[in-house]
Amino acid sequence: MLGRVNHIAIAVPDLAAATASYRDILGAHVSQAQPLPEHGVTVVFVELENTKVELLEPLGAESPITAFLAKNPTGGMHHICYEVVDILAARDQLSAAGARVLGSGEPKIGAHGKPVLFLHPKDFFGTLIELEQV
Amino acid sequence: MLGRVNHIAIAVPDLAAATASYRDILGAHVSQAQPLPEHGVTVVFVELENTKVELLEPLGAESPITAFLAKNPTGGMHHICYEVVDILAARDQLSAAGARVLGSGEPKIGAHGKPVLFLHPKDFFGTLIELEQV
């Protein structure tokens, strides 16, 4: 089911400082900051050779990463996104195996304009997993 | 400086259960468990198309992931490993920029038989970064 690692998401309290750190200290190629108000985050893409890291900063009062940053004020790894070919087939297979899909269970359009689902971290040893249909 | 994402490491309290979950529920290709007593972990490699996830379980009394699992009993994302071409040049450049290298500052031979260093997570927004020379 799992294809490529699409991205590793890291929540940070200060996106400008984190971007400067990845660009100037770690020597990585970073994108411009992109506000995604419908997802409650501003994102910077760190482009690596084989995948990417996404630095996320909360945007707005309803940001999905606010609670995470309250628990982890300096920031931290938030989720891993894997690509799947057919997200509805993946969802049905996961549900049949007893894994919990977050929210309504219906895919939403994610930050890249493609259907995504999130799986309950307690079903996967503390790791929040995003599936993205590509 | 940063090349490929070599792996994403996930610490788990029960390696057999986590391996079964990635293999049987997520449909990923997983390796046999490999005890690495000199690194204080047993590891299973989850092979993805473009990188790999490493599932880590503590091995022995001095395991470097015991404290992490005490804080995160269900498990969680532990570190990201990036490849670099020259680990001594990377270290010197990082140190000059004020980033802290863990331990003595001298590279050790990591779980893949190659020189590695770890960077202080407080200098990188809560993410523990491993550098591996390839």
Side-chain angles (χ1 to χ4, degrees):
Chain A
M1 178 192 300
L2 298 185
R4 297 173 74 258
V5 171
N6 183 276
H7 63 269
I8 305 122
I10 297 176
V12 297
D14 181 338
L15 188 59
T19 303
S21 182
Y22 276 80
R23 182 188 61 220
D24 301 336
I25 300 181
L26 292 169
H29 184 266
V30 300
S31 75
Q32 294 293 310
Q34 301 182 21
L36 300 171
E38 68 278 26
H39 295 286
V41 294
T42 303
V43 61
V44 164
F45 300 97
V46 181
E47 298 287 352
L48 289 317
E49 289 175 19
N50 57 336
T51 187
K52 57 184 184 287
V53 164
E54 296 188 7
L55 303 174
L56 307 177
E57 182 185 64
L59 177 62
E62 301 294 314
S63 173
I65 61 171
T66 298
F68 179 88
L69 283 169
K71 280 190 206 164
N72 305 276
T74 59
M77 287 184 274
H78 185 265
H79 67 265
I80 301 183
C81 176
Y82 298 102
E83 298 177 357
V84 295
V85 173
D86 182 335
I87 201 162
L88 293 178
R91 175 198 64 188
D92 293 345
Q93 188 178 331
L94 288 159
S95 296
R100 286 167 286 179
V101 176
L102 297 184
S104 69
E106 292 307 308
K108 294 188 177 175
I109 299 302
H112 311 130
K114 297 180 177 172
V116 301
L117 284 173
F118 285 87
L119 307 180
H120 200 305
K122 288 206 174 159
D123 293 339
F124 294 99
F125 302 89
T127 298
L128 177 60
I129 293 177
E130 181 180 15
L131 300 178
E132 179 173 301
Q133 180 172 297
V134 291
Chain B
M1 177 191 302
L2 299 185
R4 297 175 72 257
V5 172
N6 183 277
H7 63 268
I8 304 122
I10 297 177
V12 298
D14 182 337
L15 188 58
T19 302
S21 183
Y22 276 80
R23 181 188 62 219
D24 301 335
I25 300 181
L26 291 169
H29 184 266
V30 299
S31 75
Q32 294 294 308
Q34 301 183 21
L36 301 170
E38 69 280 25
H39 295 287
V41 295
T42 303
V43 62
V44 164
F45 300 97
V46 181
E47 299 287 352
L48 289 315
E49 289 175 19
N50 57 335
T51 187
K52 59 185 181 291
V53 164
E54 296 188 7
L55 303 174
L56 305 177
E57 182 186 63
L59 177 62
E62 302 294 314
S63 175
I65 61 170
T66 298
F68 179 88
L69 284 169
K71 279 189 206 162
N72 305 275
T74 59
M77 286 183 275
H78 185 264
H79 68 264
I80 301 183
C81 177
Y82 298 101
E83 298 177 357
V84 296
V85 172
D86 182 336
I87 201 162
L88 293 177
R91 176 198 63 188
D92 294 345
Q93 187 178 330
L94 287 159
S95 296
R100 286 167 287 179
V101 176
L102 298 185
S104 69
E106 291 308 309
K108 294 188 177 175
I109 299 302
H112 312 128
K114 298 182 175 170
V116 303
L117 284 173
F118 285 87
L119 308 180
H120 201 305
K122 287 206 175 161
D123 292 340
F124 294 100
F125 302 91
T127 298
L128 178 60
I129 292 177
E130 181 180 16
L131 300 178
E132 179 174 302
Q133 181 172 296
V134 291

